[in-house]
Amino acid sequence: MTPPKKPTLVSDNLSSPDKLAASLCVGVVGLGHMGSAFAQNLVDSGYKTFVFDRNESKRNACAGAKPASVLADLSVCDVVFSSLPDDTVLSNLSEGSNGLVSVLKEGAVHVSTSTVSPAISRHLSQLHEMNGQGYVASPVLGNPDLAKARKVFFMVAGASGPLSKAAPVIESLGQHVFFMGDDPGHANLMKLAANVMIATTLESMGETLALLRKGGIPTEVGFDVLTNSLFDSKVHKAYGGKILREQYRPAGMVVPLALKDMRLALLEAERSTTPMPFASLVRDRMVAMLARGWDTLDWSALGLLASQDARLPSAQELSDVLK
């Protein structure tokens, strides 16, 4: 299969990013850690930016943006980003008489940065198309700190017209965009697959560091050997560092959201008859974390679970780790 090519972008016909910013009005729906970072960066890039969140204080916290009290206020926008937690919230905000599909103007593009199922993206893409609009799936690899620094990665897919319009704006928010083709579901499947890789890496690192500790090797020494030899990826260093320091708050990805992503990935695996035994195991490990009440911890707390299973004491008091 031929890899997807980068589409011709609207910005290719503009001489500068400033002209692109002046030519488009953008909106952001969902002002959590990621959405608020995107909104502030859009403002800082010179875009006329509208922001919507059900929490009024979050709407008013984005300096330089225009707070939208209802979704209909986004009807002036050319491109609207949504940053929402799951399929249900994305569907509720998009569908219905007051949803994005109803209020956006003809030719506007909805860019979903959420980690959701391929099915919901394909469904919403069809609804937007029926209403003369566009839909682009653009899930993100990276955490809120990287989003603030414009260092996240985007996996982007959608029809060529909407994609050519939205991609230059997306590119301004991160360090690289991977174009996945015209099926928006492929961008979401790619993100789910990447999260499976991260989760299984966290599980293996947690178990390995527990083994080293139990065998008398200081965790810092084992971590140094592993991450400065064959296992020197960003995931090993960044997430493994959280396990090393027992730094599970503030969470970049809380356990319930990580579990949701594993569940979605395994549903896709079942549909395509793709056995994923390791992913299934890690999904169950996340259920065990919730059973312990760890719903506000970062998913790297898989390392904490491994150390507790090995009956290892925490470097800190467990009550301090879980604060």
Side-chain angles (χ1 to χ4, degrees), residues 124-136:
L124 291 180
S125 180
Q126 292 176 347
L127 288 183
H128 279 293
E129 184 178 5
M130 289 168 57
N131 283 268
Q133 304 149 359
Y135 177 90
V136 172

Side-chain angles (χ1 to χ4, degrees), residues 237-303:
K237 289 187 174 182
Y239 287 104
K242 290 188 175 186
I243 297 173
L244 173 68
R245 298 184 297 274
E246 296 184 343
Q247 183 183 340
Y248 305 119
R249 286 206 185 101
M253 167 93 88
V254 291
V255 176
L257 287 181
L259 177 59
K260 176 263 298 182
D261 294 351
M262 296 298 286
R263 186 185 307 117
L264 290 176
L266 287 167
L267 283 172
E268 293 302 310
E270 183 177 341
R271 288 191 184 101
S272 63
T273 60
T274 307
M276 299 186 77
F278 195 10
S280 298
L281 169 66
V282 176
R283 184 266 317 277
D284 289 347
R285 298 286 284 171
M286 289 180 178
V287 173
M289 293 163 76
L290 292 184
R292 285 166 169 78
W294 297 357
D295 53 296
T296 62
L297 298 189
D298 187 81
W299 57 338
S300 59
L302 283 163

Side-chain angles (χ1 to χ4, degrees), residues 26 28 38-47 49 81 169 172-173:
V26 299
V28 178
F38 294 149
Q40 194 60 63
N41 283 339
L42 288 166
V43 171
D44 293 344
S45 294
Y47 289 98
T49 306
F81 288 80
V169 190
S172 74
L173 296 174

